[in-house]
Amino acid sequence: QVQLEESGGGLVQPGGSLRLSCLASSRNFGSRAMAWFRQVPGMEREFVATISGADGIQVYYADIAKGRFIISRDNGKDTLYLQMNSLQPEDTALYYCAARSSAYTNLYAQYYDYWGRGTQVTVSA
């Protein structure tokens, strides 16, 4: 069983930055592909970014994240990160961390086996 706990959300002004963290309770965290998704009420969960297991060489971003967000991992700390820059009001959402049982990345939520409870990001003046 893998437990994921997100942190780092909050209220930020447009143009600001936040760094989300996801601490995993898993002895084989490093071998799992990880991802960030987000969701607003009434909408489907939306892919943001993913990073492969092991060396984390493969990363993929949704168009909404390209050039603004950076996903990374520290396997020694069992932690996943999402650096978010140039935040805009449309980035307001509940951000979820997700883990796969595989080292291979995937863009679709149904292929992730474990989920955190989310951390709220609100971008407003």
Side-chain angles (χ1 to χ4, degrees):
Q1 188 71 12
V2 177
Q3 292 185 329
L4 304 172
E5 183 175 1
E6 303 94 337
S7 61
L11 174 64
V12 63
Q13 292 187 343
S17 298
L18 282 174
R19 189 175 82 154
L20 306 183
S21 299
C22 173
L23 178 62
S25 64
S26 172
R27 287 185 293 178
N28 57 346
F29 168 81
S31 66
R32 298 180 182 276
M34 301 292 296
W36 291 98
F37 289 79
R38 70 186 189 183
Q39 190 170 24
V40 298
M43 302 291 287
E44 291 188 356
R45 198 164 292 188
E46 178 182 37
F47 167 73
V48 175
T50 182
I51 186 168
S52 59
D55 51 22
I57 286 181
Q58 290 188 332
V59 295
Y60 296 100
Y61 295 94
D63 288 345
I64 52 92
K66 288 179 182 177
R68 299 190 302 133
F69 295 178
I70 300 172
I71 189 171
S72 62
R73 65 191 302 158
D74 185 335
N75 292 338
K77 295 182 179 180
D78 292 343
T79 303
L80 176 73
Y81 301 101
L82 184 68
Q83 177 67 42
M84 304 190 296
N85 302 317
S86 302
L87 285 163
Q88 299 302 318
E90 52 266 33
D91 295 314
T92 295
L94 189 61
Y95 282 72
Y96 294 93
C97 168
R100 295 197 71 197
S101 296
S102 165
Y104 297 103
T105 57
N106 198 289
L107 310 186
Y108 299 98
Q110 61 262 41
Y111 292 101
Y112 286 82
D113 304 293
Y114 304 98
W115 293 83
R117 293 186 177 183
T119 184
Q120 178 67 38
V121 172
T122 302
V123 185
S124 175

